[in-house]
Amino acid sequence: MEERVCGTTLRGDEPKRLELSDGSRLMLDAASNGERKVWRRLGHGHTSVSVAEARDLAGDEFSGYVETRTRSEVEWLRAVADWYRERADHLQSQLGARG
C-alpha cells in the first residue's frame, strides 16, 4: 500500500515552502510574468496544482497554512488592484480636466 503524501515542515525564506513527505515542496507561485498565481509542486518537475489539491497534499496538519497563504495572496492582489484602479482614475480625471 502506497503511503499518502502529506506536509512535514515549512522551510525557506518568506514566504515559506511546505515540504512534503515525498521530498517535494509546495509553494504559491508569486512570479509576476502575467500568468495567474497558482500553487506549484516542486521536486518532481514543476506541477501546477489547485488550491484544493494543495490543501489535500498538505494534509491535516498544514492545510491551514495553504488556506492562510492563499487568503493572504488574495488580499494582497486586491490591494494592488485597488492601487492601480486609483492611479487609473487619477489619470482619467486629468484627461477630462484638459477639455
Side-chain angles (χ1 to χ4, degrees), residues 11-96:
R11 296 202 181 270
D13 295 332
E14 297 295 333
K16 297 193 179 296
R17 294 179 181 183
L18 176 59
E19 188 171 300
L20 302 176
S21 57
D22 69 349
S24 62
R25 294 165 315 283
L26 279 178
M27 67 174 282
L28 189 59
D29 190 357
S32 57
N33 59 2
E35 294 180 23
R36 61 187 184 149
K37 301 201 180 215
V38 295
W39 280 94
R40 295 213 185 270
R41 186 174 180 186
L42 311 171
H44 300 288
H46 289 72
T47 306
S48 296
V49 297
S50 68
V51 173
E53 291 168 321
R55 193 176 18 214
D56 186 53
L57 285 167
D60 292 339
E61 186 176 353
F62 290 98
S63 63
Y65 167 76
V66 170
E67 292 174 10
T68 299
R69 180 72 181 95
T70 302
R71 282 190 185 106
S72 296
E73 192 68 20
V74 166
E75 290 305 314
W76 181 84
L77 288 169
R78 286 185 175 141
V80 170
D82 289 344
W83 183 85
Y84 277 108
R85 189 174 301 105
E86 289 171 9
R87 297 297 306 151
D89 290 347
H90 176 72
L91 288 172
Q92 183 67 46
S93 70
Q94 288 181 5
L95 283 172

